[in-house]
Amino acid sequence: IHLPALAGTILTYLLVFARTGAIVMLLPALGDGGIPSRVRLVLALAITVAMTPTVEHFYPAAAPANALQLGLLIAQEVTAGMLIGGMSRLIMSSLQVAGYLIATQTGLAYAQTIDPTQHEQGAVVGNFFALMGAVLIFSTDLHHVAIGAIAGSYHMIPPGAALPTGDMAELTIRLVSASFVLGFQLAAPFLVFGFA
């Protein structure tokens, strides 16, 4: 990469792709292992091309002075993208928690299957809930909301601004606890039946 030539629109496309690619990589349903990496890459490139004209005013027009500044800009965009995508992934993990609790109460926890979305073993009910969650995302057009959240991330974490590390840690802790509580609430009827 020649730094003097990396300015204006080319720099903006590169930075938008860094954030968008990180978000698409982690989004539920769109970023699952069952979707080929080339499809995710093309989707991230398409979103980048469509969104760059609307968010280019957030980015500096001048080229970075050296490779270190360019690396910091890219790292900041990837970190912001991973934060947004990771939060949505944490919310969807409540389905896995509910499925595992239900499988434990019904005696199906011993039957482990390969989860086609994550390529790892899990309880049958948890894998079923994860697949149903992905189906519901696409059938209710929530993937459009996820793409809108990519554009909304520029208002929440503007490029060049300091990352809210304290807020990020607090939000992560809240989402982890909320996803566990939601999974527990989804499995509550089966837990009550098991205790009874």
Side-chain angles (χ1 to χ4, degrees), residues 32-59:
D32 287 338
I35 296 179
S37 57
R38 289 182 182 171
V39 172
R40 286 182 276 173
L41 177 63
V42 168
L43 180 63
L45 285 171
I47 293 171
T48 299
V49 168
M51 194 170 22
T52 299
T54 62
V55 298
E56 64 184 345
H57 63 278
F58 287 108
Y59 290 100

Side-chain angles (χ1 to χ4, degrees), residues 88-168:
S88 60
R89 176 69 66 178
L90 282 174
I91 294 169
M92 287 296 290
S93 67
S94 61
L95 294 175
Q96 289 283 355
V97 171
Y100 184 76
L101 289 173
I102 291 170
T104 302
Q105 286 299 316
T106 58
L108 294 174
Y110 296 111
Q112 300 285 316
T113 59
I114 299 295
D115 184 355
T117 61
Q118 301 295 329
H119 299 296
E120 59 188 32
Q121 282 191 333
V124 175
V125 181
N127 293 345
F128 175 72
F129 279 0
L131 288 173
M132 284 302 297
V135 168
L136 287 173
I137 285 174
F138 287 115
S139 65
T140 58
D141 290 335
L142 285 177
H143 57 286
H144 297 293
V145 175
I147 293 171
I150 297 173
S153 71
Y154 286 94
H155 297 288
M156 188 171 77
I157 305 173
L163 289 173
T165 53
D167 293 339
M168 288 169 26

Side-chain angles (χ1 to χ4, degrees), residues 105 187-196:
Q105 286 299 316
F190 295 91
L191 293 173
V192 170
F193 178 76
F195 288 141

